[in-house]
Amino acid sequence: MSSGHESLKQMRFRIPSQLQAFTFSLYNKSVTFFSLSPFRFLKRLLSKTLRLLSASFRMDTADDDVWSFISAPPSPEPLFLVPLRWWSEANAALYGSSGGENKGVLYNVTSCLSQKKLDKDDFLSEIVLDMMRVGERGTGQEEGVSGSDTGTGDLSLALISEWMFLRAFKWHNDMKDVGSFLEPADIVQDLLSLQIRLSFSCNTNSLMIRINQKDNKLRDFDRACTIFCAESGLLEIWDFSGQTNQFFMDDRKLFGDCGQPHEEMILELQVYGVAVASETKREKMMTDQFRIEASPISGSMNTNGDVDDVLFSRFNHSPPLYGSYNNACALGLTGLYNLGNTCFMNSALQCLAHTTELVNYFLGDFRKDLNSENPLGMNGKLALAFGELLRKLWAPGATTVAPRNFKSVIAGFAPQFGGYSQHDSQEFLAFLLDGLHEDLNRVKCKPYIEVKDGEGCSDEEVADEHWRNHVFRNDSIIVDLCQGQYRSTVVCPVCKKWSTTFDPFMYLSLPLPSAPMRTMTLTILSTDGTTLPVPVTVTVPRDGTLEDLVQALSVACSLRDDETLLIAEVSDNHIIGYLEKPSDKIDRIRDWGHFVAYRVLKDSQGSHFVVFTHLHENKSEFVGLYSGKKVGVPLLSRMSNFSEGSEIRKEFLKLLNPILKPVVEIESSNGHDHKQPDTDPDPDPDAKAESILDEAADLDSESESAALGCDFQFYLGSYLCKDYKIEMDKPVPISTLTFDKVVSVVVSWPEKMVNDYDTSLLNVLPKVRETPPFSSKSQESVSLYECLDAFLKEEPLGPEDMWYCPSCKIHKQASKKLDLWRLPEILVIHLKRFSYNRFSKNKLETFVDFPIDDFDISNYMVHKNSQVSHRYMLYAISNHLGCMGSGHYTAFIRHGQSRWYEFDDSNVFHVSEKQIKKSSAYVLFYRRISDTVHNIVQ
């Protein structure tokens, strides 16, 4: 029972013919609808549950099939009335001259406008259409059937289902080739939503349609008058949906049980693109009133459906498209809301939602292929949810869609996608395509197929046999479009025995060949206070060692013979580890990490490394610990004298010498001199630093104590703890917090010292490898063909993948080679950007130079078919931006012939073709193009 209308039962019945289905809403409180016994039983059963609102029925089912429809998901299919010529053009282009399976039933329609007086001041205006069934013909294109709605005096219309309308609308829009942009006002003007009352007349053997002013808005009713009240009074309506024919089945018993042949049903009808009659025609009809007495209106009126379910309910709220298309509706350029870390899903969905062949399939009658018996699928639920989502994305004037229902359904197939964690778009894509295949597998019962021995047969014979066996068990739109076949050859390294198999693939996962050299940037710091921190960029072998890196850095920074480099990793302004073994591989050094190299003297007997970590102290204090914020890059020095804390201070001041601000002396009003920062850009920093050090050395204990309130404070360890505070006149207990001759000291910076030193020089610490945020091409670049070469090259199997050689009778570490044998219509290429080793997980930012208009794989095919093209055109890209675990997914989509758009969740932007080539490209979608088309383009 509909919420808010407890006295009114709203029931949706699906009454399909042999080909299509028709869903309508019936408002009646106590009417028995069908005389067939299964439906009487089903009606009584459903009346006890809330399923009464959305149950799906089939009139041609047997009793045993009734239960299967109790759990079937609702599938409302609104009806659309369009010009016959408009529909015939699209139908012929989509299905050929035969028109496919869309056979039409012709109705001659007589229309009139009547009025009935309800009271002295109120009249009920009503359009009455009397539909006389003429008979069944083909697609409305045979001789004697008018395909024009102009010039003959009669209006020829077509009644079609929603999926028929969407496919035809998309075809007409594609034919215009104007960027798929439609003005919102034009869409609203061309589309009219009407509430109609349908009844069956046993006396005249016709259907009666009543459109009254009470059920509709005044402007909609007025427009309906101009459409249906033709001057001749005669219309032609061809029913290609197969719905109205149901009312003439079973000897006109559809309404027989109720005993009231004129019982009315309220339906929602969408009228699109129908030319209106002139005002004179309408005025003529208005003069002929009261010709037909209107039937009593039973029940009450309510608009069908919910705002989220009505396809065209928001035409006047079209989504803004950034750039120069702010006020345009773009067919197919519809964003998806991010439900919480669902950018990976949105990116993959947009790529599939712009795969033309897949879109046409799901905008069509894909339900005929639903496989509810496949235990590997979702009983068709995933395909239904995906089809519903595609229809929302391609609805004219559609706004941003929230894919909540789809996300819930996909989680039932792959539970890992049920939460709100970030996932991989390629992994999601693999699960989705597999789930759609199983839901749409045309093979209801997979046969057992024994694999035959291919010994002595040619590769062509074996490959064709394997493919036939595969299709015998797997036959779906996904297989038709996305699956290819490769040949796998394994060779024994000892006896050279080889074995060949042919396996299907859904996509190609291509490795990114590593460049032989790697560019790295580290920051060089002195340990004697002689130079500023300097970033140095060097090039080393990608598979090199720490020794190679140190050697390159030594040359770059002109290292002295008595010096060496100590490399450390810095994170959150403190050292988290050191690299000391010369044989360590540099692949442990991550591109996004921050590494420094300290110039230290070679082995100094009895000395310790002292690491100074900077901290801006806060005034708050708790249980002996001072709070503060670590800043800047840590400084390092070698020390052997820890007799007094003042030695720590003196060493630290020496390290700060390069960043000391210049000072000048000015005379105050009381005659005393004061030091202030000098604005002269060319002072002598060495002389000023020397004077400060001399001044510090000459301070007596009294003056030193007075100065400590605004001086640096030093603490052993990692925190500002009173128990580990270093006193200036006492020895430093280095044994307390010393590890492997490394003494950690935290330095608290008072505000005065922050002003005296240029601390910004300590805050610049570049990454090992910076990637420009808007650069389309990094220093490291490979072509897509090189990736394909790496994928197809022969390589030895790993120790965990040993192959049993039938000749040697033992497992061998054989070599394996892949070859492309059969290519799909849609070629999906996954670039393996994420690498893993025992030390780290890394993302490869390698720029892949991929072809856009002509990806020619002819030279990579070991089996060439002259009838099939091996050229492809790029039409979609799933991008991954950022690093692992904290990245973001977007999509680039080719829309139309050469226009590209970026889909960033709910936002859609126009981009140029030059902008789509980025190092963030992750999954590439290619469509096969014929050699003829390629030659024309050339």
Side-chain angles (χ1 to χ4, degrees):
M1 187 169 293
S2 177
S3 175
H5 297 79
E6 296 184 359
S7 63
L8 184 65
K9 295 182 180 179
Q10 177 183 349
M11 295 182 289
R12 296 183 184 270
F13 289 91
R14 188 166 182 246
I15 314 177
S17 64
Q18 297 177 350
L19 298 177
Q20 286 88 23
F22 169 37
T23 299
F24 57 89
S25 299
L26 173 58
Y27 292 81
N28 196 286
K29 186 174 181 180
S30 58
V31 179
T32 304
F33 306 100
F34 298 95
S35 62
L36 301 179
S37 58
F39 291 92
R40 291 200 201 95
F41 162 74
L42 190 57
K43 177 181 178 295
R44 290 195 299 270
L45 175 65
L46 296 182
S47 64
K48 300 178 181 180
T49 68
L50 291 178
R51 291 188 162 198
L52 190 59
L53 297 177
S54 58
S56 295
F57 291 76
R58 294 184 188 266
M59 291 196 63
D60 54 349
T61 59
D63 292 6
D64 295 338
D65 295 330
V66 171
W67 288 101
S68 65
F69 295 100
I70 297 177
S71 59
S75 54
E77 286 282 347
L79 284 181
F80 289 77
L81 195 63
V82 299
L84 177 61
R85 175 188 293 175
W86 184 87
W87 159 248
S88 298
E89 289 177 356
N91 190 55
L94 292 171
Y95 300 103
S97 58
S98 64
E101 298 177 345
N102 303 318
K103 303 301 180 182
V105 177
L106 177 61
Y107 292 89
N108 284 336
V109 183
T110 303
S111 62
C112 66
L113 180 65
S114 68
Q115 283 191 340
K116 179 180 179 181
K117 187 174 183 180
L118 300 180
D119 53 44
K120 62 179 181 179
D121 297 323
D122 191 10
F123 290 86
L124 175 64
S125 298
E126 187 173 56
I127 304 170
V128 180
L129 305 179
D130 187 357
M131 300 177 58
M132 297 292 297
R133 184 171 184 266
V134 176
E136 180 174 335
R137 298 181 186 176
T139 60
Q141 296 177 329
E142 292 84 358
E143 184 178 356
V145 178
S146 173
S148 173
D149 56 1
T150 59
T152 63
D154 297 338
L155 187 64
S156 298
L157 305 177
L159 191 67
I160 57 178
S161 299
E162 178 195 31
W163 67 266
M164 298 178 182
F165 172 79
L166 289 176
R167 288 210 64 183
F169 189 92
K170 183 176 182 298
W171 179 85
H172 279 282
N173 185 78
D174 293 342
M175 290 299 101
K176 295 176 183 178
D177 191 27
V178 292
S180 299
F181 288 97
L182 307 168
E183 289 296 331
D186 293 340
I187 298 177
V188 176
Q189 181 179 357
D190 288 342
L191 185 75
L192 175 64
S193 180
L194 292 174
Q195 298 292 332
I196 66 174
R197 295 174 179 269
L198 177 66
S199 62
F200 179 76
S201 174
C202 298
N203 297 330
T204 60
N205 193 28
S206 64
L207 293 175
M208 305 294 295
I209 293 180
R210 303 178 186 275
I211 309 172
N212 63 55
Q213 184 177 345
K214 182 179 180 181
D215 294 340
N216 297 277
K217 295 179 181 179
L218 179 59
R219 64 174 181 269
D220 294 338
F221 180 79
D222 288 345
R223 188 174 168 201
C225 290
T226 63
I227 292 176
F228 295 109
C229 298
E231 183 176 7
S232 65
L234 180 65
L235 306 176
E236 283 185 352
I237 294 181
W238 286 85
D239 176 24
F240 296 104
S241 69
Q243 314 314 320
T244 58
N245 191 44
Q246 297 297 323
F247 296 100
F248 296 91
M249 292 178 59
D250 198 28
D251 296 330
R252 299 189 296 275
K253 290 182 179 179
L254 184 60
F255 296 89
D257 287 350
C258 65
Q260 301 179 20
H262 292 287
E263 193 68 39
E264 292 182 329
M265 293 176 292
I266 295 183
L267 302 161
E268 185 167 352
L269 180 68
Q270 305 283 349
V271 183
Y272 175 79
V274 180
V276 299
S278 65
E279 283 296 318
T280 56
K281 295 177 182 179
R282 185 193 171 199
E283 291 173 359
K284 180 180 179 181
M285 297 298 301
M286 290 291 292
T287 59
D288 188 13
Q289 299 176 358
F290 305 105
R291 279 195 292 169
I292 300 179
E293 191 72 15
S295 302
I297 301 175
S298 60
S300 59
M301 176 61 201
N302 181 46
T303 302
N304 295 337
D306 185 72
V307 133
D308 291 335
D309 297 327
V310 178
L311 191 62
F312 300 97
S313 62
R314 299 186 294 270
F315 266 30
N316 56 341
H317 301 290
S318 58
L321 197 67
Y322 295 91
S324 59
Y325 308 101
N326 291 330
N327 298 317
C329 292
L331 188 65
L333 297 184
T334 309
L336 288 166
Y337 283 116
N338 192 319
L339 306 179
N341 281 332
T342 57
C343 58
F344 73 94
M345 180 179 74
N346 293 346
S347 174
L349 285 175
Q350 292 290 6
C351 293
L352 292 182
H354 290 83
T355 302
T356 304
E357 298 81 357
L358 205 60
V359 172
N360 290 339
Y361 175 80
F362 277 96
L363 291 186
D365 190 19
F366 71 94
R367 289 172 174 82
K368 65 180 182 296
D369 290 336
L370 289 179
N371 189 336
S372 60
E373 305 171 5
N374 190 352
L376 301 178
M378 287 282 293
N379 298 324
K381 295 179 181 178
L382 181 58
L384 286 171
F386 183 75
E388 177 191 15
L389 181 61
L390 254 60
R391 294 188 180 197
K392 289 182 178 180
L393 291 175
W394 280 93
T399 58
T400 304
V401 177
R404 294 188 181 89
N405 179 61
F406 173 80
K407 182 179 182 297
S408 175
V409 175
I410 187 66
F413 181 77
Q416 63 268 37
F417 301 121
Y420 296 94
S421 300
Q422 183 63 277
H423 292 279
D424 186 281
S425 67
Q426 187 273 333
E427 179 187 3
F428 169 82
L429 182 69
F431 275 98
L432 176 57
L433 291 177
D434 183 57
L436 292 176
H437 159 67
E438 298 297 351
D439 266 7
L440 298 169
N441 196 347
R442 304 179 187 102
V443 181
K444 307 303 180 183
C445 182
K446 295 186 177 183
Y448 170 76
I449 300 176
E450 183 178 355
V451 179
K452 299 179 181 179
D453 186 6
E455 191 72 25
C457 299
S458 65
D459 282 352
E460 289 79 2
E461 294 175 319
V462 176
D464 290 344
E465 180 69 19
H466 278 74
W467 186 254
R468 283 194 298 270
N469 293 343
H470 174 66
V471 175
F472 281 156
R473 296 173 54 85
N474 302 275
D475 182 16
S476 70
I477 183 65
I478 305 301
V479 174
D480 297 341
L481 293 178
C482 302
Q483 287 198 356
Q485 187 182 35
Y486 58 73
R487 181 181 69 181
S488 175
T489 304
V490 182
V491 181
C492 177
V494 178
C495 68
K496 304 303 179 181
K497 173 68 176 180
W498 55 269
S499 174
T500 300
T501 59
F502 293 86
D503 302 300
F505 66 84
M506 188 87 74
Y507 49 84
L508 298 179
S509 289
L510 306 187
L512 304 186
S514 299
M517 304 299 288
R518 180 183 180 188
T519 302
M520 306 176 68
T521 300
L522 285 80
T523 302
I524 307 294
L525 290 95
S526 67
T527 58
D528 56 5
T530 57
T531 59
L532 289 169
V534 178
V536 175
T537 301
V538 295
T539 301
V540 294
R542 177 165 291 277
D543 58 350
T545 62
L546 180 62
E547 184 178 7
D548 298 322
L549 177 61
V550 171
Q551 179 64 30
L553 290 172
S554 301
V555 174
C557 67
S558 301
L559 200 69
R560 300 195 309 264
D561 292 339
D562 62 340
E563 290 180 314
T564 187
L565 294 176
L566 176 62
I567 298 179
E569 183 176 5
V570 176
S571 178
D572 294 332
N573 303 106
H574 69 280
I575 295 176
I576 62 174
Y578 299 91
L579 301 181
E580 300 179 273
K581 295 183 179 180
S583 60
D584 283 349
K585 291 288 187 180
I586 60 174
D587 60 1
R588 296 183 60 181
I589 301 179
R590 297 164 296 183
D591 284 345
W592 64 88
H594 301 272
F595 284 80
V596 296
Y598 296 100
R599 301 177 60 151
V600 297
L601 294 175
K602 293 182 179 178
D603 297 334
S604 297
Q605 297 294 329
S607 63
H608 289 73
F609 287 120
V610 181
V611 178
F612 295 96
T613 305
H614 317 285
L615 188 144
H616 285 176
E617 180 181 350
N618 295 333
K619 294 182 179 180
S620 60
E621 181 180 346
F622 180 72
V623 195
L625 292 177
Y626 296 88
S627 62
K629 178 182 179 181
K630 292 180 180 179
V631 295
V633 58
L635 300 178
L636 182 142
S637 177
R638 272 192 184 274
M639 287 188 62
S640 57
N641 183 10
F642 294 94
S643 59
E644 288 186 347
S646 59
E647 298 295 331
I648 292 282
R649 181 178 181 273
K650 184 184 299 184
E651 189 68 22
F652 182 66
L653 289 176
K654 183 177 69 173
L655 295 177
L656 292 183
N657 181 35
I659 67 169
L660 178 66
K661 292 180 180 179
V663 295
V664 295
E665 294 184 357
I666 62 174
E667 184 175 345
S668 65
S669 59
N670 57 8
H672 296 285
D673 293 337
H674 296 276
K675 295 180 179 180
Q676 289 194 358
D678 188 4
T679 57
D680 185 1
D682 298 317
D684 186 354
D686 293 337
K688 294 183 181 297
E690 184 177 354
S691 67
I692 291 180
L693 291 176
D694 293 341
E695 178 187 352
D698 293 339
L699 285 176
D700 55 26
S701 59
E702 181 178 354
S703 62
E704 185 180 25
S705 299
L708 287 180
C710 59
D711 199 0
F712 295 109
Q713 302 295 312
F714 300 88
Y715 301 84
L716 283 175
S718 303
Y719 304 98
L720 302 186
C721 182
K722 291 180 178 180
D723 296 337
Y724 295 103
K725 183 177 181 180
I726 298 176
E727 302 294 341
M728 295 295 98
D729 57 349
K730 295 181 181 180
V732 180
I734 61 174
S735 61
T736 305
L737 292 174
T738 303
F739 302 96
D740 194 23
K741 288 194 174 184
V742 177
V743 180
S744 297
V745 176
V746 174
V747 184
S748 176
W749 284 65
E751 192 65 28
K752 177 182 182 302
M753 293 303 182
V754 173
N755 295 330
D756 289 347
Y757 291 90
D758 188 0
T759 56
S760 64
L761 298 175
L762 298 178
N763 292 325
V764 180
L765 192 61
K767 296 179 181 179
V768 171
R769 183 170 179 268
E770 289 281 1
T771 301
F774 301 105
S775 174
S776 63
K777 201 165 185 177
S778 62
Q779 294 179 351
E780 189 176 339
S781 173
V782 298
S783 72
L784 187 59
Y785 291 106
E786 291 178 283
C787 298
L788 199 55
D789 287 330
F791 175 71
L792 299 176
K793 73 177 182 179
E794 184 176 352
E795 58 184 4
L797 296 173
E800 67 279 1
D801 296 323
M802 302 284 280
W803 177 65
Y804 181 81
C805 177
S807 178
C808 299
K809 306 297 183 182
I810 191 174
H811 284 86
K812 296 285 187 180
Q813 190 173 359
S815 61
K816 180 179 180 180
K817 184 170 189 324
L818 294 177
D819 294 296
L820 298 179
W821 188 270
R822 187 191 309 265
L823 293 179
E825 293 297 316
I826 301 299
L827 180 61
V828 181
I829 295 180
H830 164 227
L831 302 177
K832 299 173 69 173
R833 291 199 173 275
F834 301 107
S835 63
Y836 306 87
N837 57 45
R838 57 179 179 172
F839 301 112
S840 64
K841 300 177 181 179
N842 193 15
K843 179 192 174 185
L844 302 177
E845 295 287 352
T846 305
F847 174 80
V848 178
D849 188 7
F850 47 84
I852 297 178
D853 294 319
D854 186 16
F855 181 35
D856 189 357
I857 323 180
S858 303
N859 294 333
Y860 294 88
M861 299 298 297
V862 296
H863 173 63
K864 295 185 179 181
N865 187 343
S866 59
Q867 304 298 321
V868 178
S869 170
H870 300 131
R871 297 178 182 273
Y872 286 83
M873 176 182 292
L874 183 73
Y875 71 90
I877 308 172
S878 176
N879 303 299
H880 180 271
L881 299 87
C883 58
M884 292 187 62
S886 60
H888 179 62
Y889 287 92
T890 64
F892 288 135
I893 303 296
R894 184 198 291 262
H895 197 72
Q897 294 299 322
S898 58
R899 302 174 184 89
W900 285 90
Y901 297 88
E902 180 179 5
F903 287 73
D904 186 357
D905 289 330
S906 58
N907 299 316
V908 181
F909 308 89
H910 178 266
V911 294
S912 66
E913 188 174 281
K914 295 180 180 179
Q915 292 177 281
I916 69 172
K917 283 196 173 186
K918 293 185 177 181
S919 58
S920 58
Y922 184 45
V923 184
L924 308 174
F925 291 76
Y926 282 93
R927 174 182 294 108
R928 189 199 303 273
I929 56 176
S930 65
D931 290 327
T932 303
V933 173
H934 172 72
N935 293 332
I936 293 176
V937 173
Q938 291 296 100

